[in-house]
Structure formats: C-alpha cells, structure tokens
Amino acid sequence: MLQLLDITKDYDNKPLLRGISFSVAANETVCLLGASGSGKSTLLRIIAGLEPPEQGTVRWEGQDLTAMPAHLRNFGLVFQDYALFPHLSVFENVAFGLKMQNLTGTVVERRAREAMTQVNLSGFEGRRVTELSGGEQQRVALARALAPRPRLLMFDEPLGALDRALRDRLQDELRGILHATGIPAIYVTHDQEEAFAIADRVLLLHEGRIVRDGSPSEVWNEPGSAWEARFLGLGNVIEGVVSLKVGRSKVETPVGVFGLGCGHAHQAGEKVELLLRPSGVRLAADGNLHGVVADVLFHQDAFKVTLENGLYFYLPEAPQVGEEIRLCVLQSGIRCLTSPT
Ligand code: ADP
Ligand code: MG
C-alpha cells in the first residue's frame, strides 16, 4: 500500500531524516516510536504532502505521489491538539471535510453518521465540542478523519494530552476501530507503552534512521543495541569486559560475573553491554549479584527493589531497606546488546 523509499530531510543544514524506507501493508497499524525532536512529525508531514523531502519518494500502490497535492492524497490526519472548530457542533465538525468535497447533502449526512457510529459518538451530533471531555473531543477528531473514508490514517501523538487511565481505554478503542475499518495506519508517539499497545509493527526512529522494524514482541524480547534497551526501558544496561574461562565466555562487570550466551563470537578483552532484565532474577544465597537495598516500591504483583548500585529488580517478596541481598541472574534474564566488532 504505502511505501517510503529513502526519504531524507535537512533542517538548518543538519540532517534530520537520513534515508527512511518502510512500507505499510493493508490493515496494518505501524507505530513509529522516537524521542522528542527525532523527526516523527516531519516524516508524517512528508507522507501527507504538506512538506517536500529533500530526496526519496512516497508511493501508494506503486504510484509516485511527489506531484500529488495533500488534499488529493486521501490520507487522514489526527493530531494531539484535535484542531476542532469550537464554534461548530460535533456533527458539523465531523462533516467538515466531507462538505469540502462537493458531495450531496445526503451522502455527507450518511458518511458523517457512519463515522460517528464507528467511534461511539451517536447521540452527540448537536453538542458543542467545547462541552466535551478531552477523550470525547479526540473521538470527534477521529470521526472527522474517518468520515471521508481515507485510504491511510496518520496519528501524531493523539493521546498525549490525556491522563493515563483514559489513554489506556482510548488505545484499546482505537485499536478496535482500526482493525474493524481495516484502514492502514501510521501511529506516531514517543510513549513506548502506547506504541506496544497499539502496534502490529513497531519502528524505532533514532538519529534519522529506522534502527528497528519488528513485531512488538520481537522488539521487546530481542533489543539489538544498548540504545534500544534504554529507550524502551527494558531494564538495567551495564558494561562489562569479556573473558574466556575454560572455553566459556563470561562477562566481568562491576556488579558480578555473568555468562554471555548470545552466540556472538566476542573476543576476550572486548567491552560489551548487557541487559539485566528486572524480572530475570531470583533471591539465592549463592547468587552472582549482590547489593544493598536502597528502596522498595510496591509494584502490582511484585516489589520493585532498587539497589544502592542503581540496578533494580522485581521480587515477589519485599526485603528491608539497608539489607544486603544476593540474587541469581537467570540466563533468560541476560541479553548481550553489543554486536561483535
Ligand atoms: P518530533 O515530532 O519527533 O518531535 P519534529 O519532526 O517535530 O520531531 O522535529 C524535529 C526537529 O526538526 C526539531 O527539533 C526542529 O529542530 C526541526 N524542525 C522541524 N520543523 C522545522 C521547521 N519548519 N523549520 C526548521 N526546523 C524544523
Ligand atoms: Mg512531533
């Protein structure tokens, strides 16, 4: 469906996007995840046709869209700030884009109502948008984007202004609506939880490039670099030096010696970074990691235990602050984040 080929963009002579290529298939929701300022909104504007790239092409089913103006692309956009018209009713807001398309009154009415039903807003037609809650306003914005039956939907941090509980609910709703309508979507956010809750596929944008493209579980379970593990908040990233002991690779770190088990051919003496998963440990008197408890926090079905060395783990029972504990880091709780040189 949508295909980006080698998109580049500079601002102030600094490269922002350095060759972005990916595609979005039918029915697919792709989440583009990147830090603030990484170029996510710029990329959406390029796809929408609101801004030209320096190089590269945007294609739809093989057709180059370079010469096609934004209003003819039939892509829908939903922003964080909703951009609703405060002086218009809910219905008039939803129908706005349709009226611009020279459709008959009956078609406008039917499509606007259909979109309102899709987002569960039936009955809100005559309400003022200024009377609505943030979550309801965001659903009006979604209905307005759905009404012209776009062939692609793009979301730019649409839930950023809402509180966590409401965000969780709208995420689930949105995922349901996208799958029910079958419209392919690109969803931009800097919030990893949100991306993983909505995506069929996650793309990580870093320093102008897509550094990772995979299913949520692949990206979560198999981080390819220390940056990915840190950015996704997967756990403790520590440095160590590889040593070979009786033919087995070990990593010596300031907090203990760990098996490597990554299958990479690392040299003795090589510096590597490891991910220690917070849930990948158990209390054990002969454990390979020890530390003094600095903080204990109740965390749903476990306790988040932070040690004085800065590492944190989830344990089923709460130790005392100040207590020295020993943990066995399970092999499944360790991942090597460094590719061999
Ligand atoms: P994101 O959406 O990931 O936060 P943006 O795409 O909004 O990132 O912007 C990335 C960077 O590009 C900004 O930090 C800014 O420096 C630069 N930028 C964006 N738009 C413009 C513009 N119109 N003129 C100059 N610089 C811009
Ligand atoms: Mg942005």
Side-chain angles (χ1 to χ4, degrees), residues 24-79:
V24 184
N27 295 320
E28 192 179 36
T29 302
V30 169
C31 280
L32 180 66
L33 188 55
S36 185
S38 59
K40 305 182 295 296
S41 297
T42 303
L43 188 57
L44 286 194
R45 284 199 302 274
I46 290 170
I47 297 168
L50 300 170
E51 196 167 334
E54 245 95 76
Q55 269 179 52
T57 50
V58 178
R59 292 187 185 173
W60 184 265
E61 283 172 357
Q63 185 196 1
D64 186 342
L65 301 183
T66 306
M68 187 184 283
H71 69 281
L72 294 180
R73 294 191 183 192
N74 196 15
F75 294 164
L77 261 167
V78 180
F79 302 99

Side-chain angles (χ1 to χ4, degrees), residues 55-328:
Q55 269 179 52
T57 50
V58 178
R59 292 187 185 173
W60 184 265
E61 283 172 357
Q63 185 196 1
D64 186 342
L65 301 183
T66 306
M68 187 184 283
H71 69 281
L72 294 180
R73 294 191 183 192
N74 196 15
F75 294 164
L77 261 167
V78 180
F79 302 99
Q80 175 173 343
D81 59 6
Y82 322 137
L84 299 175
F85 304 109
H87 57 290
L88 298 181
S89 70
V90 169
F91 184 84
E92 289 164 331
N93 265 282
V94 174
F96 186 82
L98 297 170
K99 289 189 178 151
M100 309 288 283
Q101 292 186 337
N102 294 325
L103 301 166
T104 67
T106 334
V107 174
V108 169
E109 174 94 17
R110 196 178 62 234
R111 290 208 185 162
R113 285 190 189 283
E114 177 188 278
M116 292 189 59
T117 307
Q118 282 172 330
V119 304
N120 264 321
L121 272 181
S122 300
F124 281 69
E125 287 80 359
R127 298 274 285 274
R128 303 246 129 225
V129 292
T130 46
E131 294 167 10
L132 303 181
S133 70
E136 288 163 346
Q137 291 189 22
Q138 192 49 283
R139 283 195 283 170
V140 177
L142 178 57
R144 186 181 55 186
L146 285 168
R149 299 181 179 168
R151 49 189 186 172
L152 174 77
L153 273 171
M154 289 185 276
F155 297 87
D156 196 353
E157 316 231 12
L159 308 180
L162 306 173
D163 66 57
R164 183 95 249 164
L166 184 57
R167 219 149 52 163
D168 288 349
R169 233 185 49 227
L170 283 174
Q171 273 164 23
D172 293 346
E173 252 182 61
L174 186 59
R175 195 172 152 76
I177 292 167
L178 289 174
H179 284 161
T181 58
I183 302 173
I186 303 178
Y187 189 103
V188 156
T189 177
H190 68 275
D191 183 311
Q192 40 278 35
E193 262 186 67
E194 202 173 307
F196 282 91
I198 286 190
D200 297 315
R201 228 169 86 221
V202 174
L203 305 181
L204 299 184
L205 177 63
H206 181 50
E207 292 178 341
R209 297 179 210 281
I210 302 292
V211 295
R212 192 64 202 269
D213 176 346
S215 72
S217 66
E218 282 165 0
V219 173
W220 192 265
N221 291 321
E222 299 156 26
S225 69
W227 178 83
E228 288 173 41
R230 286 200 185 94
F231 180 69
L232 296 172
L234 299 183
N236 306 288
V237 177
I238 60 169
E239 284 185 17
V241 177
V242 176
S243 65
L244 289 174
K245 292 224 172 85
V246 238
R248 290 223 333 136
S249 295
K250 296 268 179 196
V251 181
E252 296 184 20
T253 80
V255 296
V257 179
F258 305 102
L260 198 50
C262 58
H264 293 152
H266 289 297
Q267 306 293 314
E270 200 181 323
K271 274 192 188 150
V272 294
E273 284 175 294
L274 298 182
L275 170 66
L276 302 183
R277 301 237 185 215
S279 303
V281 296
R282 60 181 168 76
L283 280 166
D286 61 348
N288 47 356
L289 192 154
H290 68 100
V292 176
V293 175
D295 189 37
V296 179
L297 197 76
F298 175 73
H299 190 275
Q300 292 155 12
D301 50 4
F303 292 91
K304 180 179 178 182
V305 176
T306 307
L307 303 178
E308 282 180 354
N309 58 22
L311 304 184
Y312 71 98
F313 298 97
Y314 295 116
L315 298 176
E317 282 156 73
Q320 298 290 315
V321 171
E323 191 184 332
E324 174 154 9
I325 57 171
R326 274 198 169 269
L327 299 168
C328 173

Side-chain angles (χ1 to χ4, degrees), residues 3-8 20-22 55-59:
Q3 198 181 13
L4 303 197
L5 286 171
D6 207 22
I7 299 285
T8 66
I20 304 275
S21 302
F22 67 88
Q55 269 179 52
T57 50
V58 178
R59 292 187 185 173

